[in-house]
Amino acid sequence: MNASARVVVIGGGVVGASTLYHLAKIGWTDVLLIEKSELAAGSTWHAAGGMHTFNGEANISRLQKYTIDLYREIEALSGQSCGLHPNGGLMLAATPGELDSLKLICSRARYLGMETEMISLDEARRLNPLIDATHFIGALWRADGGHCDPSGTTHAYVKAARQLGASVERFTRVLSLGQRRDGSWDVVTDKGTVQAEHVVNCAGLWAREVGHMVGIELPVLAMEHHYLLTEDIPELQGRDKEIVNTTDYAGEIYMRQERAGALIGTYEPHGVIWSPVKTPDDFSMQLLPDDFERLAPYFELGFQHFPALGRVGIRKAINGPFTFAPDGNPLVGPVRGVRNFWVACAVMAGFSQGGGIGLVLSRWMADNDPGQDIISMDVARFGAFATPKYTSLKVPENYSRRFRLAYPNEELPAARPVRRSPIYDKLKAAGAVMGASFGLEHALWFAPAGVVPSETPTYRRSEAFPIVRAECEAVRNTVGLYETTNYGKYEVTGRGARAWLDRVFASRIPRPGRLGLAPMLSPTGRIVGDLSIACLAEDRFLIVGSGFAEEFHMRWFWASEPPADVFVRSAASTLTGVSIAGPRSRKLMQRLVRDDLSASAFKLFQVRQTAVGFAPAILTRAGFTGELGYEIWTTPDYFASLYDDLWDVGRELGLAHFGGRALSSLRLEKGYGSFNKDFRPDYSAGETGLDRLVDFGKSDFAGRAAALAERAAGPKRRFVVMEIATADADVIGYESIIKDGVAVGYVTSGAYGHCIGKSLAAGYVPSALARDGERFEIDILGESRAATVRLQPLYDPQGLRLRA
């Protein structure tokens, strides 16, 4: 074994093998994979080998398609068969909600370039004659997908990587990891020590333990998973092709053909955690004991939906552990504070996602940029809240729902509430229906007295629709209160703070007493942050952004290497806040603030430190509703008193609560985009329109060269808001935008504009088509709806109310 390597990849499953191959492919040939046993000996070897492109996140779907398309490439390079069965995928719906889900998938597929269509149940039975169609109401077919040989695919990756110069050491156990002062690593094994510039944790079932070697607790846990192999099925005799891989939402069953029989698996409720504290060191090429008694009711449902399966015997049962993150998506990327340490773990769907993960990780390591938006897989989507207890509750919940719909208005209950603001109980008493973001509870909408604070999960408008309308009208007509504690908040202090921020952000850094909108760009000019910066003093700044991105942005700040005279810290748990918005907001605030808040004395985007009632606070003239408004920040010990003070003086002015659903409606009426929904690392400053905030006169800032090049050439696409004609349902996200029968763009977010009486969709279209009045069509749950671009905000286009 060599004494040094540029990269050591720990773990020889399909994800580690893919990572090794992709690093070698970009020219990093001095890479070494270390596997403690045989290749694929953890959870890879006993996987069902399914591959598909279905995912609720469009960017993950793209990576899954890349993975499937990649297999022919590595077969050709390695000479090793992947055992491909590219027979496509079939999804079955038994309820109207499930059918809506399939229609949404179909709409999204057009822009993604994936051959997909809604088909009749008769056609579904031709693709899979084992289906009892009486249990279903609709079906969707997709050309991409099938299954592969897990062991053959893993070895194909490794053989291809070796041909490119990579190395593999099997039966070599990593004992510890130690970091040197220069950031390189000593990888200590039972066969000697390897000095490596980078370490990648692809350890699968042992990813948690490898994380412990560098002092981190990864939110990953293994679950037992069962599938069955049947004896030969007479109904499959004489077919010239295999049946199509089939997913049954209602039965929570997946199935495919295995030789002349079938493979059937389930993600049952009340799943069993495997090795909750520590994975055994000697677990290799092993299965777990069967548990038929517990699983029988769930497989019985599958036998009802596919009766031929129940008429033959079971040839073999497989029960093996697979790892999951709390939300079911992989954990990929660098870890803040641990230089040159990368993770690629919790990849349950390794044969659908492994290739794509290897691709983005290799780009990230080489170019400091993954090459596309992977926020939904980024390890930074979890923070300190994702403790072992949290993970132990969320992983089983996610496992049990893997083939159950996740409706866009549905909030899952496990491990909640974890993080609560000091006014949580007060908001609940006021009827708040809560969601959770980055573990923190926040209000979605408020049930009036006598109304049950819950709603039916749906892809369409729920019973909350008229309630959200009333919240929006209250903000537009009187005054509303929205808790902003769930925003991300950061304090930057020190003598060098301004100069450092000037390099990190593309915008002009505001002077004391002012607030500025501040895009943050990657080296390739992509949007990695849409934040605001308030200058409290020449050496003290408050930055506010999206709460879900707290760890993402803290990692970005850390990677931007603040000098010794700059101090950056998260204020997520030390600052709480509310937004007061509406035409009566100044009158309300003036009753609590002695400073003059008149329009001439306290203008838009001004900030000051003052007392608001009992609370010492940071007060900004800003908001996200398009109305006259203020944001108030104070420490948690004053927050309940601030809330009470606001209600004491605001009640007679018509003060009303409003939640996140209303905020989404209000901001789209003004044409405001939102980070994570509309502005993500897939989009550039010019495409989003945030180039209007870029200070191109600065000599140096991250992404400057790319932003200048785009300004010279012009963006290829642009962010627009569209008015949807006569819709009785609103867009969800990633629906295709159609022009003359061709998918030319996609939706990023949408809502009903209650105060303008129109359904709205935001998204990206080619720049040449981003004209006011340009007409498109959007498939909304199977219905083609006219969509018209509106370049000016549909509410208060001159911004007079905002500046009142």
Side-chain angles (χ1 to χ4, degrees):
M1 185 169 65
N2 292 335
S4 65
R6 189 171 190 178
V7 183
V8 166
V9 178
I10 302 175
V14 66
V15 176
S18 169
T19 300
L20 185 77
Y21 169 70
H22 282 91
L23 288 169
K25 187 178 180 181
I26 64 170
W28 286 25
T29 54
D30 184 16
V31 290
L32 170 65
L33 184 149
I34 298 178
E35 164 55 46
K36 71 183 192 62
S37 182
E38 182 56 88
L39 294 175
S43 56
T44 294
W45 76 276
H46 61 72
M51 52 186 192
H52 60 85
T53 56
F54 297 112
N55 196 282
E57 170 63 52
N59 284 305
I60 297 181
S61 287
R62 288 190 181 100
L63 289 176
Q64 291 179 190
K65 179 169 174 53
Y66 167 83
T67 298
I68 294 171
D69 293 344
L70 177 67
Y71 289 144
R72 296 299 187 192
E73 174 185 317
I74 62 171
E75 280 187 327
L77 183 59
S78 67
Q80 167 71 50
S81 170
C82 293
L84 298 177
H85 296 255
N87 50 350
L90 185 63
M91 303 183 80
L92 303 173
T95 67
E98 292 171 3
L99 192 59
D100 281 344
S101 174
L102 300 188
K103 291 174 180 177
L104 178 61
I105 291 171
C106 198
S107 176
R108 290 171 169 173
R110 293 186 67 178
Y111 183 75
L112 294 173
M114 298 175 184
E115 188 180 354
T116 306
E117 63 179 288
M118 299 296 297
I119 61 174
S120 69
L121 290 174
D122 286 341
E123 179 61 24
R125 288 202 77 251
R126 281 192 286 274
L127 297 172
N128 182 351
L130 307 184
I131 297 168
D132 181 349
T134 63
H135 295 286
F136 305 102
I137 62 173
L140 176 142
W141 170 82
R142 178 168 285 181
D144 295 311
H147 60 99
C148 63
D149 168 30
S151 179
T153 300
T154 304
H155 281 85
Y157 274 126
V158 169
K159 288 181 178 180
R162 279 175 161 157
Q163 291 205 20
L164 296 172
S167 302
V168 175
E169 289 289 337
R170 298 176 302 149
F171 304 103
T172 304
R173 189 182 302 275
V174 174
L175 303 176
S176 66
L177 297 171
Q179 192 160 37
R180 300 188 178 192
R181 288 186 176 182
D182 65 356
S184 66
W185 293 91
D186 286 328
V187 182
V188 181
T189 79
D190 58 358
K191 294 182 180 178
T193 298
V194 181
Q195 184 182 357
E197 181 181 343
H198 299 270
V199 169
V200 187
N201 179 1
C202 298
L205 295 173
W206 293 269
R208 175 181 52 189
E209 283 71 24
V210 172
H212 291 166
M213 292 181 185
V214 300
I216 62 173
E217 187 71 52
L218 291 168
V220 59
L221 198 60
M223 299 289 294
E224 294 188 15
H225 178 65
H226 292 70
Y227 64 83
L228 307 177
L229 302 177
T230 74
E231 294 177 344
D232 291 358
I233 299 172
E235 287 83 352
L236 299 182
Q237 299 297 318
R239 288 179 59 85
D240 59 355
K241 61 175 63 176
E242 287 187 349
I243 62 173
V244 172
N245 288 24
T246 302
T247 300
D248 169 10
Y249 274 144
E252 299 178 356
I253 289 288
Y254 65 90
M255 69 159 299
R256 65 167 175 82
Q257 187 164 338
E258 175 70 12
R259 300 179 182 174
L263 180 154
I264 177 172
T266 183
Y267 290 88
E268 73 281 4
H270 316 298
V272 175
I273 296 171
W274 181 74
S275 293
V277 177
K278 186 179 186 301
T279 304
D281 289 336
D282 59 353
F283 189 83
S284 175
M285 303 291 285
Q286 297 177 49
L287 294 176
L288 306 176
D290 300 331
D291 195 354
F292 284 120
E293 185 174 345
R294 181 175 64 86
L295 291 167
Y298 311 111
F299 281 117
E300 283 295 332
L301 187 58
F303 297 155
Q304 292 173 26
H305 291 185
F306 307 94
L309 302 183
R311 294 193 289 266
V312 297
I314 302 302
R315 179 166 58 86
K316 189 174 183 180
I318 306 293
N319 179 19
F322 292 95
T323 55
F324 295 80
D327 62 1
N329 281 337
L331 301 174
V332 180
V335 176
R336 175 170 66 100
V338 190
R339 185 178 170 192
N340 295 339
F341 182 81
W342 306 77
V343 299
C345 57
V347 188
M348 192 277 157
F351 295 97
S352 295
Q353 299 173 347
I357 288 170
L359 173 71
V360 298
L361 198 60
S362 64
R363 289 172 173 171
W364 212 338
M365 295 173 70
D367 304 328
N368 196 31
D369 189 311
Q372 64 189 88
D373 168 27
I374 63 158
I375 284 177
S376 296
M377 295 196 300
D378 195 326
V379 66
R381 70 187 185 276
F382 293 105
F385 69 91
T387 62
K389 181 175 181 179
Y390 175 91
T391 302
S392 72
L393 294 172
K394 292 302 286 186
V395 165
E397 178 187 58
N398 176 271
Y399 176 90
S400 70
R401 296 179 57 90
R402 189 159 182 84
F403 283 155
R404 200 179 303 174
L405 290 186
Y407 290 93
N409 68 328
E410 186 177 16
E411 297 293 327
L412 303 183
R416 292 181 57 199
V418 174
R419 298 177 63 203
R420 286 169 279 185
S421 86
I423 65 169
Y424 171 82
D425 290 332
K426 294 176 182 286
L427 296 180
K428 289 287 285 184
V433 175
M434 293 290 190
S437 177
F438 211 64
L440 180 62
E441 299 291 312
H442 60 94
L444 300 173
W445 55 278
F446 289 83
V451 174
V452 177
S454 64
E455 63 182 319
T456 304
T458 180
Y459 283 90
R460 298 175 184 269
R461 295 171 185 165
S462 76
E463 54 268 52
F465 186 80
I467 298 171
V468 173
R469 175 191 292 129
E471 292 179 17
C472 293
E473 290 172 345
V475 175
R476 295 288 190 227
N477 297 327
T478 56
V479 59
L481 181 153
Y482 173 77
E483 186 187 9
T484 56
T485 303
N486 61 312
Y487 290 4
K489 304 167 292 286
Y490 317 91
E491 289 186 355
V492 180
T493 58
R495 184 175 57 188
R498 176 176 292 278
W500 179 75
L501 289 171
D502 211 33
R503 294 194 301 272
V504 173
F505 286 88
S507 62
R508 182 176 291 108
I509 307 303
R511 292 297 172 186
R514 296 291 298 174
L515 176 145
L517 303 179
M520 195 159 57
L521 306 182
S522 72
T524 57
R526 301 288 161 171
I527 299 295
V528 292
D530 174 28
L531 306 102
S532 67
I533 300 176
C535 182
L536 306 178
E538 190 57 40
D539 61 352
R540 183 179 172 219
F541 297 83
L542 172 64
I543 301 173
V544 176
S546 299
F548 88 94
E550 177 194 333
E551 183 66 21
F552 178 84
H553 285 143
M554 283 298 293
R555 185 182 64 192
W556 192 267
F557 296 148
W558 171 77
S560 300
E561 299 182 341
D565 60 352
V566 177
F567 306 92
V568 183
R569 73 175 188 90
S570 168
S573 297
T574 57
L575 277 181
T576 53
V578 292
S579 171
I580 301 296
R584 297 181 187 173
S585 59
R586 179 181 288 119
K587 188 173 184 180
L588 185 155
M589 291 298 299
Q590 194 66 80
R591 294 180 178 184
L592 294 173
V593 177
R594 291 192 176 184
D595 296 11
D596 182 2
L597 299 183
S598 64
S600 59
F602 194 46
K603 299 178 181 179
L604 184 65
F605 293 155
Q606 284 192 314
V607 57
R608 65 181 58 169
Q609 299 177 76
T610 187
V612 181
F614 280 120
I618 299 168
L619 179 65
T620 65
R621 172 81 192 279
F624 204 40
T625 66
E627 294 290 340
L628 169 67
Y630 305 84
E631 290 182 353
I632 313 164
W633 303 102
T634 192
T635 51
D637 49 337
Y638 287 99
F639 195 38
S641 294
L642 172 64
Y643 176 85
D644 290 342
D645 279 343
L646 291 166
W647 273 98
D648 287 344
V649 301
R651 195 168 283 107
E652 69 173 4
L653 297 175
L655 181 63
H657 290 103
F658 69 103
R661 299 271 180 82
L663 187 64
S664 292
S665 172
L666 296 167
R667 62 105 178 164
L668 279 172
E669 289 179 343
K670 288 293 295 177
Y672 297 159
S674 173
F675 188 68
N676 189 38
K677 292 183 178 180
D678 307 305
F679 304 155
R680 296 176 65 138
D682 268 344
Y683 317 124
S684 67
E687 290 170 343
T688 58
L690 295 178
D691 56 340
R692 71 187 187 281
L693 303 173
V694 173
D695 182 4
F696 288 100
K698 294 198 298 185
S699 60
D700 181 39
F701 61 84
R704 182 175 184 270
L708 283 169
E710 182 184 48
R711 184 171 69 160
K716 295 180 179 179
R717 56 185 176 179
R718 288 190 183 274
F719 175 72
V720 296
V721 173
M722 293 163 283
E723 172 188 329
I724 310 298
T726 60
D728 55 2
D730 305 301
V731 297
I732 306 298
Y734 291 110
E735 292 93 339
S736 296
I737 300 172
I738 309 299
K739 183 71 174 179
D740 299 329
V742 177
V744 296
Y746 58 92
V747 170
T748 52
S749 70
Y752 189 80
H754 290 283
C755 297
I756 59 173
K758 299 179 185 298
S759 183
L760 302 173
Y764 288 82
V765 299
S767 294
L769 299 176
R771 300 183 292 254
D772 192 63
E774 188 73 33
R775 292 175 65 85
F776 300 90
E777 291 183 340
I778 299 176
D779 181 340
I780 302 178
L781 302 180
E783 298 290 334
S784 183
R785 304 289 188 180
T788 305
V789 172
R790 300 301 185 200
L791 295 184
Q792 292 297 313
L794 290 167
Y795 179 83
D796 186 28
Q798 302 303 316
L800 300 179
R801 296 173 71 94
L802 178 67
R803 294 174 173 81

